[in-house]
Amino acid sequence: MSLSERLTTMEEYEPWSREASPDSRHRKMSFNPVGTWTPAAHEEPVGAFEVPQWKRILQVVSAVIYCLFAAGVVFGFAAIKPVLIREGVYRDQCTKQELDDNVRVCYAQDLRLNLMFTVAAVSTNVVALPVGTILDRYGPRVCGIIGAISITTGSLLFAFAWNMSVDGYIPGYLFLALGGPFTFISSFQLSNTFPQYSGLILALLTGAFDTSSAIFLFYRLIYQATDGAFYPKKFFLVYLVVPVYILIVQVFVMPASSYKTVGELVHQAEDSSGDIHDSDDDIEDPSIIQRLREARRVHRESVVSEITELLGTKDGAEQSKKEEKKKNVSGVWGALHGCTAAEQIRSPWFILITLFTVVQMLRINYFVATIRAQYVYLLGNYEEAVAINNFFDVALPLGGVIAVPFIGIILDNTSTPFCLGLLVTLATAIGIFGVIPQTWAAYVNICLFVIYRPLYYTTVSDYAAKVFGFATFGKVYGLIICLAGLFNFAQSALDALTHKVFNNNPVPVNIILLSLALLIGSFLVGYVYRKSWKIHRENLEAEADGAREVLMPDANANGIHGTDYGAMNGHGDEESRGRSLNMTRGF
């Protein structure tokens, strides 16, 4: 999950910015880690009112469908892993003794399979960086087509890996993983098709992403029902229908360029400069000039009417009011807005959330990859472990879908310190239940895990937007996720530690991860709570200072020229004072 799951298309209504550029509400949020405000695509963004309603509905429905089948399919690894084991994937990695003992899965085989998931999980996070650049520069259609090509490549590699002399499984799973972000992230802009329902559209897209992990579950059920007759090669050849569908939809249905955001639509509605053209000076007849300008005005008013119908209000006041309320509730909004990316990255705000994200992402992916092996050891019963694994395969996508609306309510109506504290509390509870060798504890652990996973991803992106701002979002948030993804390669070391050092006992590794998460999480919550209290106090002081600057009703009558003085001091240095204030907050 990403920022799109939490924020509407209102972008950022800030009174000042670190760059002398257009008003922030007229900006477009960028996922580009290379530049701050990239000149978008080669084609200008299109207003939703310029596209027929039926086509916009078709675009949203089409995107939800392909996200459902492709966006996060690789995260259903726990469901397809038993199929791969039964098919003997990487069985050649086992020792002669292990083969003679007819073990279900040997150490080297398990390690190799888990590496396949690790590479996919890492690439899913790291590829978000180039996806952002391509999306901003070439538009959503190009991103979608690249995603379709990646999924096609992955499906073909996986389908024919059985016949290849080199390892085709890891590259195949890698390309399946790469296709997800290209199709999913490029769909975010569709929330601008119906700005009044942007939250619902984003919820549908993220729900589809979470549910897509069930694709491998359904395949495993078919595989078991056919007693292995519908083997992986057949499945992945049939799965080629998905990238073909994505390609057709991208070419014939989806927009080549992104839809205009609410801020851009508001700017278009307010801009009356188009009524008068420089070319008017070349026309000698005043009546012709008048008719031309009148025609332009009528056309502009028609556009304004369509925008008003689309937004509900001409200036998006209702949406802006809701966003302002969310900002005030968060307690940390604007903490580092106006600082450069380098300044933000050096701050404790960035360091602590990055460390927390690294540990939690490692915990999440380690659990997904090893759930069956963990409960085989903890419960000492293979059949019970299989039942728990099956429950997890269903609960993972279902939990994400159920949790999304409640996550939105929590983040919109509670402070960021509270949300982070909730994350740390749930993570600690999951760690405790995860080491209790009881069946009931396993089911409680899974229920908490499937709720925690979407809450964690969404809270981190929400935190990044509120603390760092949109101006540096692509760089800062992208770096957080990229670092967390790269550190996921440590999962192979954890697998080796579990198998070799602790004799397949997952408890020591889980306790180590639990302790790290609790320690870092406690520091993070404490720091953010202290800073939010400080920001609140500074805001109150600023309001008090502003109130003292208000002129008395008879001030001018008494010859007091406070108006000019107040304007000079209240507005002339506003940007520099804001920047100094945020630099103080950051450290």
Side-chain angles (χ1 to χ4, degrees):
M1 292 194 179
S2 67
L3 173 69
S4 64
E5 300 157 27
R6 286 298 319 114
L7 298 175
T8 68
T9 52
M10 288 305 293
E11 300 102 287
E12 189 175 17
Y13 283 73
E14 289 187 277
W16 59 273
S17 170
R18 71 182 181 87
E19 295 182 13
S21 53
D23 190 311
S24 60
R25 71 174 180 166
H26 301 146
R27 294 175 176 175
K28 178 180 178 181
M29 184 181 75
S30 173
F31 288 87
N32 187 353
V34 178
T36 302
W37 301 106
T38 303
H42 295 302
E43 298 183 48
E44 287 295 318
V46 62
F49 63 89
E50 301 175 55
V51 180
Q53 186 182 56
W54 67 266
K55 188 170 186 179
R56 285 181 280 139
I57 294 174
L58 179 61
Q59 289 171 345
V60 172
V61 172
S62 299
V64 170
I65 291 174
Y66 66 61
C67 285
L68 180 65
F69 284 93
V73 65
V74 294
F75 293 102
F77 178 75
I80 199 173
K81 185 178 178 180
V83 175
L84 300 179
I85 292 174
R86 181 174 171 179
E87 287 294 316
V89 175
Y90 294 131
R91 190 68 174 176
D92 58 329
Q93 301 288 320
C94 299
T95 64
K96 185 177 183 303
Q97 182 63 46
E98 289 171 327
L99 293 174
D100 291 340
D101 294 340
N102 196 30
V103 295
R104 289 189 177 91
V105 55
C106 66
Y107 162 68
Q109 180 186 18
D110 192 44
L111 204 64
R112 194 76 172 176
L113 288 169
N114 291 345
L115 177 63
M116 182 171 71
F117 174 70
T118 300
V119 170
V122 170
S123 64
T124 300
N125 293 307
V126 175
V127 79
L129 295 177
V131 169
T133 302
I134 295 171
L135 177 61
D136 286 346
R137 193 174 297 274
Y138 300 108
R141 177 177 292 171
V142 172
C143 275
I145 292 174
I146 293 174
I149 294 172
S150 296
I151 295 170
T152 300
T153 304
S155 299
L156 290 174
L157 283 172
F158 225 94
F160 294 101
W162 276 259
N163 310 113
M164 296 170 63
S165 58
V166 296
D167 185 1
Y169 300 109
I170 291 179
Y173 213 69
L174 169 63
F175 276 102
L176 287 175
L178 293 176
F182 275 103
T183 55
F184 181 53
I185 294 177
S186 63
S187 301
F188 293 167
Q189 52 88 26
L190 292 175
S191 63
N192 295 317
T193 54
F194 298 93
Q196 294 188 71
Y197 304 99
S198 60
L200 174 61
I201 294 171
L202 291 172
L204 289 172
L205 290 171
T206 52
F209 173 85
D210 288 322
T211 309
S212 64
S213 63
I215 297 300
F216 286 157
L217 167 63
F218 290 127
Y219 165 59
R220 194 192 70 201
L221 294 176
I222 296 172
Y223 176 85
Q224 292 172 340
T226 59
D227 195 25
F230 193 60
Y231 49 88
K233 181 178 181 179
K234 290 184 178 180
F235 168 74
F236 282 101
L237 289 177
V238 171
Y239 188 72
L240 287 171
V241 172
V242 174
V244 170
Y245 165 77
I246 295 174
L247 183 62
I248 293 173
V249 167
Q250 291 295 338
V251 173
F252 296 105
V253 178
M254 290 299 172
S257 58
S258 299
Y259 279 102
K260 288 182 178 179
T261 63
V262 170
E264 290 169 327
L265 290 173
V266 170
H267 177 58
Q268 182 176 352
E270 294 175 344
D271 185 12
S272 60
S273 61
D275 293 355
I276 302 175
H277 289 183
D278 293 337
S279 60
D280 292 349
D281 296 334
D282 300 330
I283 302 174
E284 296 180 358
D285 189 342
S287 61
I288 295 177
I289 295 176
Q290 185 63 29
R291 286 199 301 271
L292 285 173
R293 291 180 178 178
E294 180 65 18
R296 293 167 192 155
R297 184 188 62 80
V298 171
H299 174 70
R300 181 174 60 82
E301 289 180 352
S302 174
V303 171
V304 168
S305 176
E306 292 178 307
I307 291 175
T308 301
E309 182 181 356
L310 188 68
L311 301 181
T313 57
K314 176 182 172 181
D315 59 358
E318 185 178 346
Q319 294 97 322
S320 182
K321 185 177 180 181
K322 291 179 180 178
E323 291 303 305
E324 190 63 32
K325 180 182 177 181
K326 295 175 186 177
K327 295 175 185 179
N328 294 333
V329 169
S330 73
V332 299
W333 179 270
L336 294 181
H337 291 197
C339 298
T340 65
E343 291 167 343
Q344 291 174 347
I345 290 170
R346 290 196 299 266
S347 72
W349 291 97
F350 175 86
I351 295 170
L352 289 173
I353 194 64
T354 301
L355 290 174
F356 185 71
T357 304
V358 165
V359 174
Q360 296 295 49
M361 192 178 290
L362 184 59
R363 289 183 69 191
I364 288 172
N365 291 332
Y366 174 71
F367 184 75
V368 170
T370 63
I371 179 172
R372 180 174 295 194
Q374 287 197 38
Y375 283 110
V376 166
Y377 184 92
L378 288 173
L379 302 179
N381 187 309
Y382 181 77
E383 284 70 27
E384 283 189 20
V386 170
I388 291 170
N389 194 160
N390 293 341
F391 175 74
F392 176 77
D393 293 338
V394 176
L396 184 63
L398 190 61
V401 173
I402 294 174
V404 165
F406 296 101
I407 292 171
I409 293 172
I410 292 172
L411 293 177
D412 287 346
N413 297 281
T414 61
S415 68
T416 299
F418 174 84
C419 294
L420 292 174
L422 180 62
L423 277 186
V424 175
T425 302
L426 284 175
T428 303
I430 290 170
I432 293 172
F433 284 113
V435 297
I436 298 176
Q438 298 291 331
T439 302
W440 65 266
Y443 285 104
V444 172
N445 183 38
I446 289 173
C447 290
L448 291 176
F449 179 88
V450 298
I451 294 173
Y452 174 81
R453 181 172 172 265
L455 176 64
Y456 152 74
Y457 282 113
T458 310
T459 301
V460 172
S461 63
D462 186 70
Y463 171 99
K466 290 175 178 176
V467 173
F468 305 118
F470 289 127
T472 57
F473 181 83
K475 295 176 183 177
V476 178
Y477 179 68
L479 183 58
I480 291 172
I481 297 301
C482 182
L483 290 174
L486 291 173
F487 272 96
N488 259 260
F489 279 119
Q491 184 183 319
S492 297
L494 295 180
D495 285 336
L497 199 64
T498 302
H499 282 288
K500 292 292 187 180
V501 178
F502 301 121
N503 298 317
N504 296 322
N505 182 2
V507 173
V509 170
N510 283 328
I511 290 178
I512 291 171
L513 293 175
L514 167 62
S515 302
L516 284 174
L518 182 58
L519 178 65
I520 297 171
S522 298
F523 275 110
L524 174 64
V525 173
Y527 177 82
V528 174
Y529 175 79
R530 181 169 61 86
K531 286 295 182 179
S532 67
W533 179 83
K534 184 179 179 182
I535 291 172
H536 178 67
R537 187 184 65 183
E538 290 171 349
N539 289 339
L540 291 178
E541 292 175 354
E543 290 177 6
D545 291 340
R548 284 194 292 269
E549 291 177 3
V550 176
L551 291 176
M552 295 176 61
D554 61 342
N556 289 331
N558 293 328
I560 300 173
H561 301 288
T563 302
D564 293 339
Y565 180 80
M568 289 172 63
N569 288 277
H571 299 286
D573 295 328
E574 182 178 353
E575 182 169 341
S576 60
R577 287 191 290 110
R579 180 177 174 81
S580 299
L581 177 62
N582 284 291
M583 283 296 292
T584 303
R585 288 173 178 174
F587 300 94

